[in-house]
DNA sequence: TCTGGGGTCCTAGGACCC
DNA sequence: TCTGGGGTCCTAGGACCC
């Protein structure tokens, strides 16, 4: 059996841990740059606020309703996520962290009744220890465990936040209770196509033949989904593995026209991406840089990107920043109002197995000591304590995040501020 | 005025090889 | 009239997830 443990309204719940006055109130957390609403407390959902709504459209209304609004504080959420996962790891020999707020636990050899009390213990332990409410779904496959978790949330009153699918009858009932668009792996496009073909619920899908599903649902992906719904596990999630690409992309706080400013932004993003790269002990063989206008603005649209290959893979911030800055110069066109830029590192390889050049010391080696020192300083004193001059000083393009809470658990100076 | 960011996998088709 | 068989690699695009 698999359990899926999923934190409720995760970002809002994190904010509530550090501010008791948020309990019982409508609260929302915004995406980067204060763009969209991406986490809502139950009270906010009850007010009719939708996932992904642009903040600016709702701003005044939210204020009128007394909704508490936060810019996103990913440093805090990431740290809280790590603590939740550590607690969960005590409950299973096999924990698969699936996303920032959810994880699969392998639970073999339990009786039905034991599963229920075990789930409640998990809920209580995380609730008491960390102040984060969670729901638990349990079933014989990951897709069904996702479905069970969905039902646990949907029928919170009845379920207490735990839902178990173990018997044939329970499986059939669950499949009939969940519409096809709510199935894990069925997005908007497929949902529309399936509904048009007469498939309304998960149960309807399981009544179709394997060949039919293969034709109508993305080939082998659909067939795997079908088996999972039948209770035969075959979906592998392997998110604990190293990333195959690493990106840092951001919208600007206000439009940018100036090449120097674009280069500063891109240098900053390349620095962040390089930090992530070194954390997983990889080196990049190629760097992609892009810049573009706002697709919502009624101006001439301009989308450009360039991919630069490295002769020898590297994890050096110095080299990656240089490449990114050179790249943006090549695709830059003046008189354009840029809204967003990004850096994507690809062709990642383990730093141990870099294909070296015969006549040159790889920068992975040459800059190793420097990078180690920089990472150490930034980890100890907070990211951004030391940066390259190429990242600029004023950073006028910085995204908006005026309503961010303090990074209570990770930043020494943020904590000090609270104490003072 | 103001609309996020970061990933994965699969498929089809083209180019190329023997 | 009739024009093989088997394979790899790469890329773009489309779908999905949180």
């Amino acid at each position: 059996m698999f359990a899926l443990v999923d934190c409720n309204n995760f970002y809002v719940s994190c904010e509530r841990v550090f501010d008791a006055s948020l309990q019982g109130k409508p609260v929302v957390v915004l995406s980067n740059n204060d763009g969209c609403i991406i986490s809502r407390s139950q009270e906010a959902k009850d007010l009719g606020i939708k996932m992904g709504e642009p903040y600016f459209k709702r701003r005044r209304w939210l204020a009128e309703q007394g909704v508490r609004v936060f810019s996103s504080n990913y440093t805090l959420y990431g740290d809280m996520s790590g603590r939740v996962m550590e607690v969960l790891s005590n409950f299973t020999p096999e924990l698969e962290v699936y996303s920032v707020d959810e994880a699969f636990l392998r639970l073999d050899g339990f009786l039905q009744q034991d599963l229920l009390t075990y789930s409640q213990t998990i809920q209580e332990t995380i609730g008491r220890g960390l102040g984060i409410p969670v729901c638990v779904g349990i079933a014989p496959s990951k897709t069904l465990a996702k479905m069970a978790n969905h039902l646990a949330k949907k029928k919170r009153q009845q379920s207490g936040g735990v839902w178990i699918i173990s018997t044939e009858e329970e499986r059939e009932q669950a499949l009939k209770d969940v519409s096809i668009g709510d199935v894990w792996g069925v997005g908007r496009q497929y949902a529309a196509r399936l509904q048009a073909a007469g498939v309304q619920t998960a149960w309807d899908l399981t009544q179709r033949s394997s060949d039919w599903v293969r034709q109508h649902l993305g080939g082998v992906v659909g067939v795997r989904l079908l088996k999972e719904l039948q209770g035969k596990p075959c979906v592998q999630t392997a998110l604990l593995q190293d990333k195959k690409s690493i990106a840092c992309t951001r919208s600007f706080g206000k439009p940018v026209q100036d090449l120097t400013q674009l280069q500063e932004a891109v240098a900053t993003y390349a620095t962040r991406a390089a930090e992530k790269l070194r954390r997983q002990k990889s080196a990049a063989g190629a760097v992609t840089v892009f810049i573009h206008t706002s697709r919502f603005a009624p101006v001439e649209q301009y989308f450009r990107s360039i991919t630069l290959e490295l002769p020898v893979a590297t994890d050096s911030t110095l080299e990656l920043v240089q490449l990114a800055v050179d790249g943006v110069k090549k695709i830059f066109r003046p008189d354009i109002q840029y809204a967003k830029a990004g850096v994507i590192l690809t062709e990642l390889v383990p730093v141990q197995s870099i294909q070296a050049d015969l006549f040159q010391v790889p920068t992975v080696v040459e800059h190793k000591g420097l990078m180690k020192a920089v990472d150490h300083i930034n980890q100890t004193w907070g990211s951004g304590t030391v940066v390259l001059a190429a990242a600029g000083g004023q950073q006028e393009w910085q995204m908006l995040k005026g309503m961010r809470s303090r990074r209570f658990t990770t930043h020494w100076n943020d904590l000090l501020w609270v104490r003072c």
Side-chain angles (χ1 to χ4, degrees):
Chain A
M1 297 290 269
F2 298 92
L4 178 70
V5 178
D6 187 309
C7 303
N8 304 342
N9 322 325
F10 183 56
Y11 297 166
V12 164
S13 296
C14 289
E15 297 293 346
R16 280 180 167 166
V17 171
F18 297 92
D19 185 346
S21 75
L22 301 175
Q23 292 297 340
K25 302 249 171 58
V27 183
V28 299
V29 174
L30 306 178
S31 64
N32 267 330
N33 215 27
D34 295 344
C36 301
I37 295 164
I38 54 166
S39 183
R40 306 157 293 157
S41 70
Q42 190 56 50
E43 298 80 5
K45 289 176 190 171
D46 293 343
L47 282 173
I49 300 166
K50 297 276 180 294
M51 178 69 177
E53 270 191 273
Y55 174 53
F56 76 93
K57 286 186 181 172
R58 282 279 203 173
R59 188 174 191 152
R60 287 187 61 176
W61 184 86
L62 290 169
E64 283 162 20
Q65 296 292 319
V67 177
R68 299 283 303 272
V69 179
F70 289 87
S71 302
S72 43
N73 187 346
Y74 289 113
T75 314
L76 179 67
Y77 312 148
D79 184 70
M80 290 301 289
S81 169
R83 291 165 196 252
V84 170
M85 298 311 165
E86 196 181 325
V87 171
L88 286 179
S89 68
N90 295 321
F91 285 92
T92 177
E94 210 177 302
L95 179 75
E96 260 184 88
V97 179
Y98 177 65
S99 77
V100 70
D101 72 335
E102 61 189 303
F104 289 103
L105 284 70
R106 198 63 193 264
L107 297 180
D108 295 331
F110 281 81
L111 298 171
Q112 165 106 4
Q113 192 50 39
D114 294 342
L115 284 172
L116 180 62
T117 50
Y118 200 66
S119 302
Q120 288 163 343
T121 307
I122 292 174
Q123 279 185 308
E124 282 164 24
T125 309
I126 296 177
R128 261 206 315 274
L130 296 167
I132 304 280
V134 303
C135 283
V136 184
I138 297 183
S141 72
K142 286 177 183 161
T143 306
L144 287 174
K146 271 283 212 183
M147 186 172 286
N149 193 286
H150 175 79
L151 290 168
K153 284 201 164 72
K154 201 167 118 188
K155 310 188 179 190
R156 190 93 54 93
Q157 300 302 324
Q158 178 190 345
S159 69
V162 178
W163 200 274
I164 300 172
I165 299 173
S166 74
T167 66
E168 259 310 290
E169 295 75 50
E170 285 166 345
R171 186 178 71 86
E172 182 170 334
Q173 192 57 52
L175 291 172
K176 287 177 173 168
D177 282 349
V178 172
S179 56
I180 191 67
D182 289 332
V183 173
W184 189 39
V186 179
R188 270 224 307 274
Q189 309 293 327
Y190 284 139
R193 279 187 235 168
L194 290 170
Q195 278 160 5
V199 174
Q200 303 298 328
T201 65
W203 174 256
D204 295 341
L205 187 70
T206 60
Q207 300 311 298
R208 303 292 170 120
S209 74
S210 169
D211 280 345
W212 189 91
V213 172
R214 186 190 304 275
Q215 274 205 351
H216 292 78
L217 200 63
V220 299
V221 182
V223 176
R224 278 205 288 259
L225 175 63
L226 184 62
K227 290 204 164 155
E228 285 262 319
L229 292 179
Q230 291 162 348
K232 302 168 196 154
C234 56
V235 164
Q236 298 290 328
T237 54
L239 297 175
L240 290 179
Q241 287 176 9
D242 286 347
K243 299 268 190 289
K244 295 171 181 176
S245 70
I246 288 176
C248 181
T249 71
R250 293 280 180 281
S251 298
F252 302 131
K254 54 186 178 187
V256 168
Q257 261 187 288
D258 181 46
L259 176 61
T260 310
Q261 287 194 36
L262 278 182
Q263 288 176 317
E264 282 178 17
V266 158
T268 305
Y269 305 158
T271 302
R272 284 282 305 122
E275 283 167 5
K276 295 191 214 172
L277 186 66
R278 290 194 293 274
R279 208 173 307 144
Q280 75 164 37
K281 296 185 166 42
S282 295
V287 183
T288 299
V289 189
F290 69 80
I291 47 178
H292 65 72
T293 46
S294 165
R295 52 182 209 284
F296 302 103
V299 297
E300 183 196 353
Q301 295 291 302
Y302 184 76
F303 281 66
R304 281 293 297 275
S305 75
I306 184 169
T307 300
L308 304 165
E309 304 274 340
L310 283 136
V312 180
T314 186
D315 68 353
S316 163
T317 297
L318 302 187
E319 192 176 2
L320 292 169
V321 163
Q322 186 62 57
L323 227 58
V325 167
D326 290 348
V328 77
K329 189 171 184 180
K330 288 187 182 142
I331 53 177
F332 175 76
R333 216 184 84 187
D335 305 319
I336 295 282
Q337 301 265 323
Y338 296 98
K340 181 170 175 175
V343 173
I344 305 164
L345 307 179
T346 53
E347 292 175 32
L348 307 190
V349 293
V351 86
Q352 299 302 340
S353 56
I354 288 174
Q355 191 68 46
D357 186 296
L358 189 55
F359 302 105
Q360 215 179 350
V361 180
T363 48
V364 164
V365 176
E366 195 187 341
H367 301 164
K368 190 175 173 188
L370 178 60
M371 289 304 116
K372 201 175 162 189
V374 166
D375 287 339
H376 181 68
I377 291 169
N378 285 334
Q379 271 157 30
T380 308
W381 301 96
S383 67
T385 302
V386 285
V387 297
L388 292 189
Q394 296 300 314
Q395 304 205 329
E396 288 165 42
W397 39 267
Q398 269 283 9
M399 64 180 184
L400 309 172
K401 50 179 177 186
M403 296 164 288
R404 199 199 65 202
S405 52
R406 295 194 184 77
R407 294 163 293 186
F408 303 102
T409 58
T410 48
H411 278 55
W412 177 84
N413 44 347
D414 279 19
L415 197 59
L416 186 73
W417 200 97
V418 173
R419 282 183 167 176
C420 291

